Amino acid sequence: MRRTVSVITPSFNQGKYIGETIESVISQEGDFFLEYMIMDGGSTDNTVEIIRKYEKLLAEKKYPIRCKGIEFHWVSEKDKGQAHAVNKGFKAAKGEVLGWLNSDDTYIAGAVEKALRYFEGHSDIMMAYGEGYHIDEQGRVIERYPTEPFNRERLLE
C-alpha cells in the first residue's frame, strides 16, 4: 500500500528558521512517501535562497532520504496570510494524510511515522496533534509547550 503524507509549511520572511524546519521534515524516517510543500508569501529575506538550496540537494540526491521518497514543491507569491497559505497547500496536496508545520517549528525524529501508526490503529480518528516544546536558539528544550485538549470551537478560531 502506498502511504503518502503531505506536509504544508506556510512561510514569510523566515530565513532564520526555515532551514531547520525543512530538515526536520525531509529527514523523517519511515514506510511512507512524503510530499513536502512550502507556501511562501513572497519573502524578501533569504528564505527563497534557503528553500532553493534544499530543492537542489534533493534533486541531485545529495540529501539522505529516510522514507520511501520525497516530492518537494514550493511557491513564493503574495498571499493573504498563514491560513490562506495552508489552505492553498491543502487544496493542492495529494497525500492521504495532511500535516501542517509552521516555518519556525520542527518535527522531532519519528513524528510522521508515529502519527501514521496512530491513525492505522484508530480508524475512527480523523485528526491528531502532538506535544510541543519551547526551545532556545541552540535547539535545547526550555520547557514543554502547553498542548490543549481538543476543542472544535477553539480550532475553528
Side-chain angles (χ1 to χ4, degrees):
M1 175 174 94
R2 180 182 169 102
R3 296 186 307 171
T4 300
V5 177
S6 298
V7 176
I8 312 305
T9 293
S11 177
F12 182 69
N13 287 339
Q14 292 290 307
K16 183 175 181 180
Y17 307 105
I18 193 130
E20 191 173 355
T21 301
I22 293 169
E23 286 191 18
S24 82
V25 175
I26 64 176
S27 295
Q28 291 292 308
E29 183 174 349
D31 186 29
F32 58 87
F33 292 90
L34 177 67
E35 176 186 41
Y36 187 35
M37 303 172 76
I38 301 172
M39 309 305 285
D40 181 73
S43 291
T44 57
D45 66 353
N46 63 338
T47 298
V48 170
E49 177 182 324
I50 293 166
I51 294 169
R52 283 187 177 132
K53 176 182 104 172
Y54 287 97
E55 177 183 46
K56 183 177 180 187
L57 286 171
L58 289 166
E60 295 175 353
K61 301 187 184 329
K62 293 183 178 176
Y63 195 92
I65 304 302
R66 296 180 174 100
C67 61
K68 288 189 161 194
I70 297 177
E71 287 185 37
F72 186 85
H73 309 285
W74 65 278
V75 298
S76 183
E77 60 191 18
K78 189 165 178 59
D79 59 32
K80 298 174 187 164
Q82 180 182 26
H84 181 238
V86 171
N87 284 322
K88 281 193 323 185
F90 282 167
K91 186 175 180 181
K94 297 180 276 186
E96 296 86 11
V97 175
L98 304 179
W100 152 23
L101 184 68
N102 288 334
S103 54
D104 61 350
D105 292 331
T106 59
Y107 282 148
I108 62 170
V112 171
E113 185 67 24
K114 187 172 185 176
L116 287 172
R117 281 196 312 268
Y118 187 82
F119 284 131
E120 288 171 358
H122 300 85
S123 60
D124 57 323
I125 299 295
M126 295 186 65
M127 184 179 108
Y129 56 96
E131 292 288 330
Y133 300 97
H134 287 121
I135 59 171
D136 65 17
E137 293 208 7
Q138 287 75 42
R140 294 182 300 242
V141 174
I142 300 169
E143 63 187 353
R144 184 175 162 263
Y145 182 83
T147 305
E148 299 175 20
F150 180 75
N151 180 311
R152 184 177 186 278
E153 287 72 33
R154 175 90 168 101
L155 177 65
L156 293 173
E157 282 179 12

